[in-house]
Amino acid sequence: KLNTVITLNPRALEEAAVLDAERASGSVRGPLHGVPVLVKDNYDTVNMPTTAGAIGLAMSIPPDDAFQVRRLKEAGAVILGKTNMHELARGITTISSLAGQTRNPYDPTRNPGGSSGGTGAAIAASLAAVGMGSDTCGSIRIPSSHHALVGLRGTRGLASGDGIIPLSTTQDIGGPLARSVEDLAITLDATVGFDPADPNTVLSQGNIPDTYRDFLDENSLQGARIGVVSGLMGSGDAEQPVRDVIEAAIENMRGLGAEFLEVEELDVTELLADASVIGQEFKFDFDAYLAKTPDAPVRSLAQLMSLGLYHEVVDEGLRNSLEVESLNTNEYRDRLAKREEARVAVVGIMDDHELDALLYPTIRQTARPIGQRQPGSACALSAVTGLPAITVPAGFAEDEMPVGLEFLGRAFAESRLIGLAYAFEQATQHRRPPDFTPSLVSPPSSFGLLAAVTVTVPYSVLGQGSFVLDPNTRVLNYSLLLDGVGDTDFLLVDLHRKADDSENGPSIRRLRGNRDSVVGEVILEGREIRLLREGKLYIDVHTRERLTGALRVDLSLPRED
């Protein structure tokens, strides 16, 4: 239903059995021993195709594992399979020609973010313990924000990009998405470090602690100085719900001993303009990857496009990349220089104000419905400067969708960011699992709601019906047969919410019905799901004789045993 996984590892059970035998014999490799992990389908895996979601790479078996996949296996992780992604990592709503659209488990009518949206949705739905994604401009952090997860974009050079299908080698970095800061730290320990195949990782030498778990300190916010980036906080009606959540989080952190400063001198629009190199580098980096992958069915971006083996959602971006003839241009050099200027400016502001981190929302709007554009990303500050940023759950907006808060720090300050995120997470416990992600053991396809029928006396209207909710799609099917309503008496039927201080409350949507029956289906929104969970939804049959309701049906979820 969520469409998160492209390929399952056919040897997963066999590999798990070997690891179980190791544990039984007293040999444990570490905290990831036997732990199930899903990886984004742009990480090379020697026993499974690596497709980046494109039809043109559906049968592409790489010659070896990506460096980070190899490190996970050495740590004892079981790679369950490969997750869907926004095709070729060129977008943030996760749709691909090979696997289609991934859905958000908090509301399957909405997008899961991207490009690592398949990983985000799968980990939020507990299909694996942790997952691996890649981030070129928000592709780890945006899915983390949309799924109440923790995600880290590390400092450039922290982790190897060897064996990850590139979007831009200058901006790419792989890393984990997890349900807790501790899980992220454990996975980070296993996957970062020097790799001779990736020269950038020489920068990590001397900058990686023995374990990031040493920085899981609940008191890390005490005395911390944090700058709020005014230009990334959002404005206007569409962005206010997320801003409200972030501002509440800031107040939480003040109570935990953090000091905040408004950083208004950081003109992010000017600072980050014309500093991305994705459009310039993609064709050359992608073709170089294909040259090292002998079994890839296509040999170049040009061939992939000429055969039409890709999704139209990435068509414009691919065509623009195809037109780039050389990297030996003043425009490309200017963009690289702009990146360095941005990094120096950001670090300078942090130094001037003696800040531990900058803070802003990861994305200024919650996940939009599938098919709509997803605005509001603040991905570029970290992606352009190469500085590390961590996303941590900040709470839920008024539409009951998750909101992520982002801390950005100096180069190789991942330890400090992990400490700040952990202190906030432990104090607030904002994350909660999706309400209607079914259990992996005997998942229900649907279940009936409890319905208490109240008849207004002495008016004699009777009702008999059923109300069934599909937990995967949030579709509520309703069927209510009516008896006792006159031909001209029927007015309408609607769904109400109870007020906080009353058993009655306003109408929130009209239902289909007539004097004989009320039959149809509705897709419940996140707020309505919350009201249903709290027992605050009811249906009213309104008639001319009894405008206040001739028959009322109170709805609630069945109680768990």
Side-chain angles (χ1 to χ4, degrees):
K1 294 286 188 176
L2 297 176
N3 197 32
T4 62
V5 177
I6 291 180
T7 303
L8 287 172
N9 177 8
R11 298 181 56 191
L13 293 177
E14 175 187 338
E15 293 165 1
V18 170
L19 290 161
D20 284 347
E22 286 185 17
R23 184 181 291 277
S25 69
S27 176
V28 179
R29 304 185 191 186
L32 284 177
H33 189 110
V35 171
V37 176
L38 283 163
V39 299
K40 186 177 181 178
D41 202 16
N42 60 348
Y43 281 74
D44 279 353
T45 46
V46 71
N47 65 325
M48 290 177 280
T50 298
T51 74
I55 294 173
L57 296 177
M59 306 304 294
S60 181
I61 304 291
D64 55 15
D65 286 329
F67 175 83
Q68 293 194 57
V69 171
R70 187 163 66 250
R71 289 286 296 270
L72 284 167
K73 289 181 176 180
E74 290 169 356
V78 180
I79 308 299
L80 289 185
K82 314 289 289 293
T83 54
N84 194 24
M85 56 185 284
H86 200 102
E87 186 153 333
L88 298 171
R90 299 201 66 152
I92 61 172
T93 56
T94 303
I95 184 170
S96 70
S97 60
L98 192 57
Q101 175 70 59
T102 295
R103 297 179 177 274
N104 189 314
Y106 285 91
D107 182 346
T109 69
R110 304 203 193 196
N111 80 72
S115 61
S116 310
T119 301
I123 303 310
S126 297
L127 303 184
V130 293
M132 300 301 294
S134 63
D135 191 312
T136 310
C137 193
S139 290
I140 286 174
R141 293 164 290 149
I142 292 170
S144 294
S145 178
H146 280 354
H147 292 104
L149 298 176
V150 183
L152 174 76
R153 177 190 167 88
T155 308
R156 186 174 185 231
L158 179 72
S160 174
D162 177 59
I164 301 176
I165 296 178
L167 178 56
S168 160
T169 51
T170 295
Q171 291 187 207
D172 292 340
I173 187 168
L177 294 79
R179 291 189 294 273
S180 71
V181 179
E182 182 176 12
D183 287 353
L184 181 135
I186 289 170
T187 310
L188 206 62
D189 282 344
T191 52
V192 301
F194 175 67
D195 174 15
D198 183 348
N200 288 319
T201 57
V202 71
L203 300 171
S204 71
Q205 294 183 313
N207 287 309
I208 296 175
D210 292 337
T211 173
Y212 287 103
R213 285 177 286 165
D214 286 346
F215 299 90
L216 301 175
D217 183 356
E218 294 182 5
N219 298 312
S220 294
L221 283 164
Q222 183 68 44
R225 286 177 55 83
I226 300 171
V228 179
V229 183
S230 301
L232 293 177
M233 283 294 287
S235 60
D237 292 344
E239 296 180 343
Q240 191 61 46
V242 167
R243 181 171 184 140
D244 289 344
V245 173
I246 300 300
E247 289 177 343
I250 290 171
E251 290 308 307
N252 288 152
M253 286 185 274
R254 287 191 204 276
L256 296 169
E259 182 181 350
F260 286 87
L261 174 72
E262 290 284 337
V263 178
E264 298 178 345
E265 66 265 41
L266 195 59
D267 185 347
V268 289
T269 302
E270 171 60 29
L271 188 71
L272 305 176
D274 299 321
S276 172
V277 292
I278 294 173
Q280 284 70 35
E281 292 184 350
F282 175 67
K283 179 178 75 172
F284 305 101
D285 292 345
F286 184 61
D287 286 359
Y289 168 84
L290 293 175
K292 297 177 183 178
T293 311
D295 291 338
V298 295
R299 307 312 309 159
S300 68
L301 175 62
Q303 185 183 16
L304 177 82
M305 297 187 68
S306 69
L307 296 173
L309 299 177
Y310 64 98
H311 198 288
E312 69 172 353
V313 73
V314 297
D315 184 67
E316 182 179 357
L318 297 188
R319 291 188 183 281
N320 290 339
S321 290
L322 202 59
E323 292 176 0
V324 179
E325 296 180 355
S326 171
L327 292 180
N328 186 22
T329 64
N330 288 333
E331 179 190 1
Y332 180 61
R333 285 186 283 271
D334 287 345
R335 286 176 179 268
L336 292 178
K338 189 75 180 290
R339 297 171 64 83
E340 179 60 16
E341 292 172 9
R343 186 192 66 79
V344 170
V346 170
V347 173
I349 287 172
M350 294 181 70
D351 289 345
D352 289 345
H353 296 295
E354 299 180 333
L355 299 174
D356 293 279
L358 298 178
L359 178 149
Y360 45 89
T362 298
I363 188 162
R364 295 184 296 274
Q365 293 190 31
T366 56
R368 297 295 88 197
I370 287 169
Q372 292 186 13
R373 189 175 65 89
Q374 176 64 62
S377 173
C379 68
L381 190 61
S382 173
V384 164
T385 62
L387 299 173
I390 192 169
T391 295
V392 63
F396 290 77
E398 62 183 17
D399 61 358
E400 289 297 296
M401 296 301 291
V403 172
L405 176 155
E406 190 161 317
F407 293 110
L408 179 140
R410 293 174 178 80
F412 294 102
E414 285 83 5
S415 298
R416 182 61 170 142
L417 297 181
I418 284 171
L420 296 174
Y422 182 77
F424 178 69
E425 171 199 64
Q426 293 300 300
T428 58
Q429 298 292 320
H430 280 307
R431 185 182 191 276
R432 64 171 184 256
D435 288 321
F436 289 94
T437 299
S439 166
L440 295 181
V441 180
S442 302
S445 58
S446 62
F447 50 79
L449 304 184
L450 299 178
V453 180
T454 303
V455 179
T456 301
V457 179
Y459 195 69
S460 181
V461 174
L462 300 177
Q464 182 178 6
S466 66
F467 305 88
V468 178
L469 180 70
D470 184 331
N472 300 304
T473 62
R474 293 188 172 188
V475 172
L476 171 65
N477 281 279
Y478 56 89
S479 176
L480 181 62
L481 302 180
L482 301 175
D483 183 26
V485 182
D487 289 344
T488 60
D489 197 20
F490 178 82
L491 193 59
L492 61 91
V493 179
D494 57 356
L495 186 67
H496 289 251
R497 69 165 174 84
K498 297 178 184 179
D500 291 338
D501 58 353
S502 173
E503 283 296 298
N504 297 317
S507 170
I508 57 177
R509 68 162 78 202
R510 180 86 172 263
L511 302 181
R512 291 202 308 247
N514 56 47
R515 73 178 189 88
D516 296 317
S517 63
V518 183
V519 179
E521 67 177 34
V522 295
I523 298 175
L524 296 183
E525 299 174 352
R527 180 178 67 105
E528 293 165 342
I529 291 292
R530 174 174 57 82
L531 292 169
L532 178 60
R533 187 172 64 243
E534 296 172 353
K536 291 184 176 180
L537 285 185
Y538 65 94
I539 293 171
D540 244 348
V541 178
H542 300 277
T543 66
R544 287 176 171 82
E545 187 170 341
R546 284 288 186 269
L547 189 61
T548 55
L551 185 142
R552 168 172 166 157
V553 181
D554 287 277
L555 301 175
S556 64
L557 293 172
R559 293 186 178 88
E560 296 182 2
D561 293 335

